[in-house]
Amino acid sequence: MDFFSTSNILVHIPLGSGGYDLSWIEAIGTLAGLLCIWLASLEKIVNYTFGLLNVTLFAAIFFQIQLYASLLLQLFFFVANIYGWYAWSRQTSDNQQALKIRWMPLPKALGWAAVCVVAIALMTVYIDPVFAFLTRTSVALMQGLGLNVVMPELQPDAFPFWDSCMMVLSIAAMILMTRKYVENWLLWVVINIISVMIFARQGVYAMALEYVILTVIALNGSWLWIKSARQRA
């Protein structure tokens, strides 16, 4: 389990005052995330393989840096990556017609926006008690299976509003990506900008740098998918 600790250092980077210790888990998770998003922008189904690796490692990191909404988000991403892999791989003619790159109809887009606003507000207020409940449930389950685990001492979420924004908007973007709606890339641009700010504040600079790069990839993905949607319209 030492591998999953952010204290298990791969390399010391002479960056800023005192430098930055890049852990193995952060380095591998970051590389997998970059490959996942780049391949998704090119409509390559193999992106989901790297996506599963990325979310698994990032879940361990988010627990250690006290971003609980982002941790819960990784659990959703894990399931969504499996679903996306299935949806993109189906070869029936009906499915191929349904999964052409396209824009969302305006009424549906407005409905998604309203749901996101409400969900962000609720998550901002309740993220700490919700995560504490889920943690207690998980510990009790593992103890019931005979594992020697104890309830960890949980700290409050470091940035409840921004963390909730990342969680809710990322869920929306991931669902829209599995259905090949152009809007998913516009959401990823917003999410990535927020992520750069939060990760830099929390001292995980490699992840912050990753999300700078992901912002560029998301902008490129937006351009490619908008172009494709225009051609297929």
Side-chain angles (χ1 to χ4, degrees):
M1 297 299 294
D2 286 344
F3 170 78
F4 293 96
S5 171
T6 54
S7 299
N8 186 3
I9 305 304
L10 168 64
V11 63
H12 177 79
I13 302 173
L15 177 67
S17 168
Y20 177 67
D21 291 326
L22 177 65
S23 65
W24 280 93
I25 185 173
E26 188 179 351
I28 296 175
T30 297
L31 179 60
L34 290 171
L35 288 172
C36 170
I37 301 302
W38 174 252
L39 292 169
S41 72
L42 300 176
E43 268 193 285
K44 303 296 184 182
I45 193 172
V46 72
N47 86 85
Y48 291 110
T49 303
F50 294 101
L52 289 170
L53 176 61
N54 170 258
V55 301
T56 300
L57 298 181
F58 273 22
I61 294 174
F62 288 136
F63 178 78
Q64 295 175 73
I65 64 175
Q66 301 156 21
L67 291 177
Y68 304 135
S70 294
L71 189 156
L72 296 177
L73 177 62
Q74 304 313 302
L75 303 181
F76 167 79
F77 276 170
F78 192 91
V79 176
N81 271 284
I82 293 174
Y83 169 75
W85 198 338
Y86 165 76
W88 284 30
S89 64
R90 294 177 62 195
Q91 297 300 313
T92 64
S93 57
D94 289 343
N95 184 68
Q96 290 177 350
Q97 179 67 27
L99 285 185
K100 288 184 177 180
I101 293 175
R102 68 237 191 249
W103 291 94
M104 293 178 67
L106 181 58
K108 181 180 287 189
L110 293 175
W112 273 85
V115 170
C116 287
V117 169
V118 173
I120 289 170
L122 292 173
M123 185 58 65
T124 299
V125 175
Y126 294 111
I127 181 57
D128 285 332
V130 166
F131 187 76
F133 169 76
L134 293 175
T135 303
R136 288 194 297 270
T137 302
S138 300
V139 170
L141 177 62
M142 289 185 285
Q143 289 174 340
L145 295 174
L147 299 176
N148 184 23
V149 295
V150 296
M151 180 67 185
E153 182 179 349
L154 300 178
Q155 301 295 323
D157 192 288
F159 300 94
F161 172 72
W162 293 113
D163 199 13
S164 297
C165 286
M166 288 192 293
M167 178 182 182
V168 172
L169 295 181
S170 295
I171 289 174
M174 190 68 187
I175 294 173
L176 297 182
M177 177 182 285
T178 65
R179 305 311 301 167
K180 292 193 176 180
Y181 284 118
V182 173
E183 287 84 353
N184 90 85
W185 289 108
L186 307 180
L187 286 178
W188 286 125
V189 172
V190 175
I191 295 161
N192 293 336
I193 291 172
I194 296 173
S195 300
V196 170
M197 175 186 70
I198 296 301
F199 295 152
R201 287 287 300 273
Q202 290 300 89
V204 280
Y205 298 117
M207 290 175 66
L209 177 60
E210 174 194 10
Y211 277 81
V212 171
I213 299 171
L214 287 178
T215 302
V216 176
I217 294 176
L219 289 169
N220 182 66
S222 299
W223 178 75
L224 290 175
W225 282 40
I226 289 171
K227 179 180 176 182
S228 179
R230 185 180 297 117
Q231 290 173 345
R232 295 177 180 180

